[in-house]
Amino acid sequence: MNSRGSWGSKVGFILAASGSAVGLGNIWRFPYTAGKNGGALFVLIYLIAVVIIAFPVLLAEVSLGRHTGKNPVGAFKAIAPKGMWKLIGYLGVITGIMILSYYAVVAGWTVGYLFKSITGKFQNITNQIAESNFSEFISSSFLQVILLAVFLFLTVYIVSKGIASGIEKFSKILMPLLLAILFLLLIRSLTLEGAMKGLEFYLKPDFSKLSPKVILDAMGQAFFSLSLGMGTMITYGSYVSKSEDLPSSSAWIAFFDTFIAIIAGFIIFPAIFSQGMNPAGGPGLVFNILPVIFSKIPGGIMFGSLFFALLSIAALTSTISLLEVPVAFLIDEKRWSRKKSVIVVGLITFIFGVPSALSTGGVKFFSKLPIVGKSFFDLWDFLWGNLSLSIGAFFIAIFVGYVWKASKALIEISHGTEKFRFASFWMISIKFISPVIILLIFLSFIL
Ligand code: PHE
């Protein structure tokens, strides 16, 4: 047990799990996915999905992890030694590698933007200049691959040092600082001329836009943002002590994560509309608008640099958790050393990351794949960041609800908590609401 490690302190789990949850998913992916899906309606569905599906799945994952003390593959095997269930664990291990492969590309952008900000590239910038800067930046093949390599190397280095010392240290003090800068940006953005139109887009749902695709995207985003559906929270749960209050920790994590995403939207959309930019602009949305906001803030160079530094660190605590899943699998199931596991997985991830790094303009083929018509990056984000997580969450709900059994899971959940007030809500969600809704959304695409 000791060789796997465990959290050094009681709050260690909350800090590290929110470190995993809070990342580019909140500040980069949430706003652009909301923008692509018409704004307010997406936000509304997202919030509903967090409460009725994602939070219950989070609790299911963490309790499964704590109960078995295992990585995702080991956790399924521990409860259902025979049968196919462990395949869900394997899917999680692969999904971790695949998400990490393109997530690290975007994390590389934050590092690139840190340097741009420090060197004053964002001074007196207009939105046209910001947009052309960004597209020039992401289409530089060499730079993109280097930044990917740098970020992966950092992740590999920290994960190789182990759980408590590696992960906890980083997630402790920096989140509040990130939040403080977000509030600064929020004030600036809301006071820009024309900000109202952005607020309307963000807050006034247009129900005629309702479609299965909006629901799928919102649900997928909820899983992505809370690091669910691939066993990250099973793995992190396996390092949690029996005395930890799982319902309240999980509720805090879900709340904190959602809060930051919502704030990010309040920053991005008023600014986007005030500058007459397109809210459906895709993955570059945040990187196109933030420099413009910073250029309109006194001390923008300093705040901009600090912001991108903190965002890189927030991304790092997420990439650490992505890498930890395949690594914990190799350590537990294959008896590899942590060091060997980390290096091998790091290299595989890099190989898969290169096409993503080259698909934002660098290499034509990857930027617009034949047949699918989108970039390798967009395809990967959809396949792994959305579909695979939703499939994983579906099977985790079924597994915990019916194979392990919700009543037994409840016993595990209740260790360390005085009274779990939402026990029956949780049970209904995990057995019925979550699996049925996920299944219906999938069916609506197939039929
Ligand atoms: N939740 C992280 C974020 O929002 C990304 C992530 C997804 C991490 C899945 C682990 C597992 O940035």
Side-chain angles (χ1 to χ4, degrees):
M1 184 65 205
N2 277 345
S3 66
R4 299 185 81 248
S6 64
W7 304 116
S9 65
K10 218 184 156 222
V11 277
F13 167 68
I14 298 196
L15 289 170
S18 15
S20 166
V22 176
L24 299 170
N26 310 61
I27 288 162
W28 158 74
R29 200 178 189 271
F30 175 79
Y32 101 72
T33 313
K36 211 177 60 181
N37 282 295
L41 179 69
F42 173 91
V43 178
L44 181 67
I45 300 173
Y46 177 78
L47 290 175
I48 296 172
V50 167
V51 175
I52 68 169
I53 305 177
F55 172 68
V57 172
L58 171 61
L59 207 44
E61 282 202 30
V62 179
S63 59
L64 183 60
R66 182 169 76 173
H67 185 74
T68 56
K70 292 259 162 60
N71 68 88
V73 174
F76 286 103
K77 271 207 243 167
I79 287 174
K82 289 195 215 71
M84 311 275 267
W85 285 106
K86 58 176 182 292
L87 293 183
I88 309 306
Y90 282 108
L91 180 66
V93 168
I94 295 169
T95 305
I97 295 176
M98 294 309 170
I99 293 182
L100 180 56
S101 76
Y102 71 86
Y103 193 96
V105 172
V106 185
W109 298 351
T110 63
V111 175
Y113 266 49
L114 166 63
F115 285 106
K116 281 182 191 282
S117 181
I118 292 176
T119 51
K121 295 269 161 34
F122 298 151
Q123 267 176 316
N124 307 320
I125 207 171
T126 62
N127 58 340
Q128 280 99 351
I129 300 176
E131 278 173 311
S132 71
N133 277 352
F134 180 69
S135 65
E136 195 185 315
F137 170 66
I138 56 170
S139 52
S140 151
S141 304
F142 180 69
L143 190 58
Q144 288 301 311
V145 174
I146 293 292
L147 287 172
L148 164 69
V150 166
F151 211 89
L152 278 180
F153 178 79
L154 266 177
T155 309
V156 160
Y157 176 75
I158 292 164
V159 174
S160 72
K161 295 190 99 184
I163 293 303
S165 62
I167 302 174
E168 260 177 67
K169 240 182 356 200
F170 284 88
S171 34
K172 263 184 188 157
I173 30 176
L174 295 165
M175 291 290 132
L177 209 55
L178 181 64
L179 205 58
I181 301 190
L182 284 176
F183 275 108
L184 181 75
L185 283 167
L186 179 69
I187 294 166
R188 179 65 271 212
S189 186
L190 289 175
T191 51
L192 288 172
E193 206 177 310
M196 270 318 282
K197 271 192 284 170
L199 280 184
E200 199 169 304
F201 177 80
Y202 192 48
L203 295 177
K204 215 166 135 204
D206 173 358
F207 288 96
S208 69
K209 297 245 168 69
L210 189 63
S211 71
K213 175 82 173 112
V214 178
I215 305 179
L216 178 70
D217 276 0
M219 201 173 66
Q221 174 60 25
F223 295 139
F224 186 94
S225 193
L226 281 167
S227 311
L228 298 174
M230 52 160 273
T232 312
M233 293 300 178
I234 298 179
T235 309
Y236 272 27
S238 74
Y239 306 120
V240 174
S241 83
K242 287 278 184 206
S243 58
E244 177 101 24
D245 183 337
L246 294 185
S248 91
S249 315
S250 304
W252 272 110
I253 294 161
F255 171 78
F256 194 50
D257 184 75
T258 308
F259 181 71
I260 294 198
I262 296 293
I263 298 279
F266 273 112
I267 295 168
I268 302 301
F269 293 112
I272 287 281
F273 278 80
S274 96
Q275 301 302 306
M277 291 158 83
N278 177 12
L285 191 69
V286 178
F287 290 88
N288 284 329
I289 192 65
L290 282 174
V292 181
I293 313 179
F294 279 118
S295 81
K296 294 181 190 300
I297 289 180
I301 294 192
M302 185 188 76
F303 288 119
S305 311
L306 198 55
F307 174 83
F308 283 109
L310 293 169
L311 189 56
S312 308
I313 293 165
L316 188 59
T317 54
S318 300
T319 55
I320 288 169
S321 73
L322 284 161
L323 182 56
E324 184 61 27
V325 173
V327 166
F329 161 72
L330 291 170
I331 294 176
D332 290 352
E333 307 298 312
K334 304 286 169 208
R335 302 267 163 240
W336 285 21
S337 73
R338 179 167 277 273
K339 201 159 168 202
K340 179 178 167 193
S341 315
V342 159
I343 291 172
V344 170
V345 177
L347 281 176
I348 297 174
T349 310
F350 178 70
I351 292 167
F352 279 100
V354 169
S356 285
L358 298 179
S359 79
T360 45
V363 172
K364 264 220 188 80
F365 175 79
F366 292 124
S367 305
K368 197 166 168 95
L369 291 173
I371 304 169
V372 270
K374 31 174 156 189
S375 70
F376 185 88
F377 179 99
D378 287 338
L379 178 68
W380 239 224
D381 188 32
F382 178 66
L383 284 183
W384 303 102
N386 188 337
L387 274 194
S388 179
L389 294 183
S390 304
I391 294 171
F394 171 78
F395 283 109
I396 289 169
I398 297 282
F399 183 79
V400 170
Y402 299 95
V403 181
W404 184 20
K405 295 222 163 30
S407 51
K408 283 211 192 122
L410 267 181
I411 299 173
E412 177 61 47
I413 294 174
S414 309
H415 281 297
T417 171
E418 307 229 307
K419 189 175 180 333
F420 178 26
R421 267 178 295 160
F422 303 108
S424 36
F425 160 73
W426 178 80
M427 207 131 106
I428 294 169
S429 172
I430 222 59
K431 290 178 79 166
F432 308 108
I433 304 176
S434 301
V436 169
I437 294 183
I438 301 173
L439 194 66
L440 283 179
I441 296 301
F442 279 129
L443 287 179
S444 71
F445 280 94
I446 300 164
L447 301 177

